[in-house]
């Protein structure tokens, strides 16, 4: 999370006194709306772009190709159109850009105003989209939604990690991801319903219903209080302490407040976080964080999340069946994320990632073989049995992603960066993720047109590469306290240990020494539950 303050964890393993107050409950609802909003935007575009009325109005060229059928155009190329892809991808490009501004407002204005800015962007974006008269208005709406995503994904997880008591903080990381998947499913369900509306305005309802999580986020931001961490970071110490008392539901907040002051002091001492990030001893975490983001997107997941209905219709499913199948994959995504929440601290990160690697590789190869045999450029004879098999294989693939790369792609970077680079490291993580999300959104339909069924071989090759990366280069971080990563993980790793030998860097040492003073690693850790 860029430029953010530092959330506190219990000093010396002692729990601070804290009740689950109404403010904390509202915070959890905020997590839900921030994640839901993002997920809704991810999920809604695919269904909308497969609706004939939407295509007729904004992309008549594509509409004509789809209507003409496979006689004139290749099955695989029906939807290949840069403008159509831009409708989906522009959101991520805007989100990427907005992250830089959001990093600044989160630090200087606070978390709450940043969430409000996000809410306002979302609301205007939704209005423009639902009322769109032409392509320009439609894309402008998507860009504003993207700005909302940039601001919300920056501020909401940080806000949560700072406001929640330590004991429920860890779970919020995957909870955010769970809400993203629920948002996607919700969008798929809405699309399934609105596609049946006669009169050609169903797509407006689909895009307009994003207003529900957008409004909730805005109202939520108005209701909640600023975090004590942010107030302290901006020198408003008395206010910070008063807020801490209020949210913890007790007057006994001195130990936590002292911890918070120390964390803020240390955060200010890190003068050049981005330069720090590039130092040799921080290389393992940086390489892993960047690689995980690239790999997460190269699994091909968003080809499915963004374009499932279009993909199913490309394969010859009727419009209704295509949307219905997208609902099924969306539901599998939600349920499998629950599996991850349950098992990540039991079986560990590596087991989940490696098992999922095998499962994703297998299902993608099977899909490629079925399509290679059954769907050619100008004919598709996918019988009912094969069509069901394709859907089952896509679900097998989505399930594997949802209990591995989906949540862990975010969790692992957030728990491996040391204090000195955590905030800058999280910024880089978000940016690389959104950049590759943008690339997949912009390129998938063209790639489908050129690679045909081979697109699944392309993604499965990536799955092979990333599985080898996990096997050899990703250490297990299950149950390892964040401040002990250097000693217990990096220094013991066959490859990464070589980066741990120089200790003459200038600012904060990886061991937790700050300018010669031993810092309390535990009490000053930026919370691992901060997702973005
Ligand atoms: C990814 C998103 C993806 C979602 C699917 C997230 O972890 O970052 O790009 O759409 O999972 O559930």
């Amino acid at each position: 999370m860029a430029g953010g303050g530092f959330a506190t964890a219990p000093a010396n393993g002692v729990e601070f006194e804290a009740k689950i107050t109404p403010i904390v409950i509202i915070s959890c609802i905020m997590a839900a709306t921030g994640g839901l909003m993002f997920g809704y935007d991810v999920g809604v575009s695919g269904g909308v772009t497969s609706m004939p009325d939407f295509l007729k109005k904004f992309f008549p060229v594509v509409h004509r190709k789809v209507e003409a059928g496979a006689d004139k155009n290749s099955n695989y190329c029906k939807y290949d159109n840069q403008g159509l892809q831009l409708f989906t991808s522009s959101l991520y490009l805007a989100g990427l850009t907005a992250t830089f501004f959001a990093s600044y407002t989160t630090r200087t204005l606070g978390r709450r105003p940043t969430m409000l800015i996000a809410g306002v962007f979302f609301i205007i974006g939704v209005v423009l989209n639902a009322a769109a008269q032409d392509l320009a208005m439609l894309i402008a709406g998507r860009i504003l939604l993207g700005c909302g995503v940039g601001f919300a994904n920056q501020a909401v997880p940080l806000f949560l990690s700072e406001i929640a008591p330590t004991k429920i903080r860890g779970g919020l990381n995957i909870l955010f991801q769970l809400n993203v998947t629920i948002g996607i499913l919700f969008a798929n369900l809405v699309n399934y319903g609105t596609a049946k509306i006669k009169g050609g305005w169903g797509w407006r309802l689909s895009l307009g219903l994003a207003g529900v999580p957008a409004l909730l986020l805005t109202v939520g931001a108005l209701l909640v209080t600023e975090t004590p961490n942010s107030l302290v970071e901006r020198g408003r110490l008395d206010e910070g302490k008063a807020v801490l008392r209020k949210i913890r539901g007790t007057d006994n907040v001195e130990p936590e407040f002292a911890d918070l002051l120390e964390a803020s002091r240390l955060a200010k001492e890190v003068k050049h976080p981005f330069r720090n990030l590039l130092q040799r001893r921080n290389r393992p975490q940086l390489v892993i964080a960047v690689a995980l983001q690239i790999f997460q997107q190269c699994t091909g997941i968003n080809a499915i999340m963004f374009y499932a209905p279009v993909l199913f219709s490309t394969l010859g499913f009727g419009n209704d069946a295509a949307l219905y199948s997208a609902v099924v994959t969306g539901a599998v995504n939600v349920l499998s994320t629950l599996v991850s929440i349950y098992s990540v601290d039991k079986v560990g990160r590596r087991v989940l990632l490696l098992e999922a690697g095998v499962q994703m590789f297998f299902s993608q190869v099977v899909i490629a073989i079925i399509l290679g045999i059954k769907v050619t450029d100008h004919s598709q004879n996918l019988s009912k049995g094969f069509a069901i098999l394709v859907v089952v294989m896509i679900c097998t693939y989505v399930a594997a992603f949802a209990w591995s790369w989906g949540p862990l792609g975010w969790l692992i970077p957030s728990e491996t960066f040391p204090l000195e680079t955590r905030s800058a490291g999280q910024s880089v993580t978000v940016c690389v993720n959104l950049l590759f999300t943008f690339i997949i959104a912009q390129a998938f339909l063209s790639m489908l047109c050129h690679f045909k069924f081979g697109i699944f071989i392309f993604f499965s090759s990536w799955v092979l590469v990333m599985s080898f990366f996990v096997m050899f280069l990703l250490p297990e971080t299950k149950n390892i306290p964040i401040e002990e990563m250097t000693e217990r993980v990096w220094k013991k790793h066959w490859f990464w240990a070589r980066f741990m030998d120089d200790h003459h860097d200038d600012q904060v040492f990886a061991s937790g020494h700050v300018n010669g003073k031993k810092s309390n690693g535990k009490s000053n850790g930026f919370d691992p539950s901060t997702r973005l």
Side-chain angles (χ1 to χ4, degrees), residues 49 109 115 307 314 350 445 482:
T49 44
L109 300 178
M115 290 189 291
Y307 296 119
T314 298
R350 282 171 53 88
L445 296 177
I482 212 164

Side-chain angles (χ1 to χ4, degrees), residues 42 177 180-181 184 296-297 301-302 305 333 401 406 410 433 437 531:
V42 168
Q177 169 72 14
V180 173
T181 62
I184 297 175
Q296 187 201 54
Q297 291 306 314
I301 188 64
N302 280 326
M305 292 300 138
N333 195 17
F401 174 87
W410 295 107
N433 187 279
T437 308
R531 179 189 145 143

